[in-house]
Amino acid sequence: MLKGRKISGRGETVAANYAFSALEDDIIIKHRLLTRTTTTRGEPPLKKLQKKFTSFVVEVEKDDDNFNDCIRLSKAFLQELSTFEIPLLKSKAVIDANLREKGNFDELMDEINSQIGQAQADIEDLKKQLEESKIERQHKEECEAIRKLIAMQPPRSETQKIIQELEKEIAALEAENTAGSRLLELRKKQFALLLHVVDELQNTIEEDQKNLIEEMRMAAEEQKNGMEDGSGGSEAMAVD
């Protein structure tokens, strides 16, 4: 993979060569950790240890009188093994430390999650308390408004006095109403009696008028008859 890099001041483009990808880098790093290879140059420690061990085994398997060489090669192998073991012990210590850190981190995460859960629960409780406080405040405001309305009203003694006076007025009005009703009933009866008397009087007047007319008619007839009788007697006397 090639990328261009521009050098400031020269205006030239230099090609940077990246030999490995990210995946290949991970594989190489893993291999170096397993083989204790800390650099790409030189012989890996594990290979060097293998060579020391192989040299020692080959020397031991010889039939020659090579006791000193075996001792020398064994010491070299042990030294190389000790050299190879030291980084392993360091790596083990680092791994143990990382595991402890990871455990501490997990405990810290658990504690943080627990605190977050507790904080969320506290937030919910505070929300409920806030709603209850709003309702309680609303009730207090309503009570205060009612208290102000009550304070604007006259005292109970004065109100009771007004009520008693109104009750007296109501009783007087009821008595006056009762008296008026009785008087009205009496007036109704008197008016009915008056109408009856007027009706009887009118009937009597009409009857008297009829009688008077009848008497006048009879008187007129009698007078007429008398006049006729008088004229007849005169004529008789004249004939004689």
Side-chain angles (χ1 to χ4, degrees):
M1 183 177 180
L2 298 177
K3 290 185 178 180
R5 181 171 60 87
K6 187 175 182 180
I7 301 175
S8 61
R10 295 183 180 181
E12 299 176 355
T13 302
V14 178
N17 184 12
Y18 296 94
F20 306 104
S21 64
L23 181 60
E24 292 173 344
D25 286 341
D26 292 338
I27 295 174
I28 292 171
I29 292 171
K30 183 177 181 181
H31 178 71
R32 287 178 182 177
L33 290 174
L34 292 175
T35 59
R36 306 306 304 164
T37 302
T38 58
T39 178
T40 57
R41 297 179 181 180
E43 195 173 17
L46 184 60
K47 192 173 183 180
K48 291 172 64 177
L49 180 62
Q50 182 182 3
K51 285 184 177 181
K52 296 287 185 182
F53 180 72
T54 302
S55 299
F56 172 69
V57 171
V58 170
E59 192 66 30
V60 169
E61 289 180 351
K62 291 180 179 180
D63 293 335
D64 299 337
D65 187 7
N66 55 356
F67 181 74
N68 292 328
D69 293 334
C70 290
I71 292 297
R72 180 179 57 80
L73 291 175
S74 65
K75 288 182 178 179
F77 170 71
L78 292 175
Q79 184 178 1
E80 188 65 28
L81 181 63
S82 177
T83 303
F84 184 79
E85 186 181 9
I86 290 173
L88 292 178
L89 294 175
K90 290 181 179 180
S91 298
K92 184 177 182 302
V94 172
I95 291 172
D96 293 338
N98 290 334
L99 291 175
R100 288 193 298 271
E101 288 295 326
K102 184 179 181 300
N104 294 332
F105 179 76
D106 292 338
E107 292 179 359
L108 181 60
M109 286 297 297
D110 292 338
E111 184 178 357
I112 290 174
N113 291 330
S114 177
Q115 291 178 357
I116 290 173
Q118 184 63 36
Q120 291 176 349
D122 293 339
I123 289 172
E124 294 297 327
D125 292 338
L126 290 174
K127 286 182 179 179
K128 293 180 180 178
Q129 292 179 7
L130 180 61
E131 293 297 328
E132 293 176 356
S133 299
K134 288 181 179 179
I135 295 173
E136 185 177 358
R137 181 178 180 181
Q138 184 179 1
H139 290 170
K140 287 182 178 179
E141 291 177 353
E142 292 175 355
C143 291
E144 182 66 19
I146 294 172
R147 187 190 65 80
K148 289 181 179 179
L149 290 175
I150 294 173
M152 294 172 62
Q153 302 300 320
R156 182 181 178 86
S157 58
E158 184 177 351
T159 305
Q160 190 68 28
K161 183 178 179 181
I162 294 172
I163 291 172
Q164 291 177 356
E165 292 177 355
L166 290 175
E167 288 178 350
K168 290 179 180 179
E169 290 181 2
I170 291 170
L173 291 173
E174 288 179 350
E176 184 178 354
N177 188 22
T178 303
S181 298
R182 291 178 180 176
L183 180 60
L184 180 62
E185 188 66 25
L186 179 61
R187 291 291 184 266
K188 285 181 179 180
K189 291 179 179 180
Q190 291 177 352
F191 187 70
L193 180 60
L194 179 61
L195 290 177
H196 179 70
V197 171
V198 170
D199 188 48
E200 291 292 332
L201 182 60
Q202 186 175 1
N203 293 331
T204 303
I205 292 172
E206 290 178 354
E207 187 67 26
D208 291 342
Q209 286 179 352
K210 289 180 180 180
N211 295 330
L212 180 60
I213 292 171
E214 184 66 23
E215 290 177 357
M216 290 177 65
R217 186 181 64 81
M218 292 176 65
E221 288 180 355
E222 290 177 358
Q223 185 178 3
K224 182 178 179 182
N225 293 328
M227 290 177 63
E228 289 178 354
D229 291 339
S231 62
S234 297
E235 290 178 355
M237 292 178 62
V239 171
D240 289 337

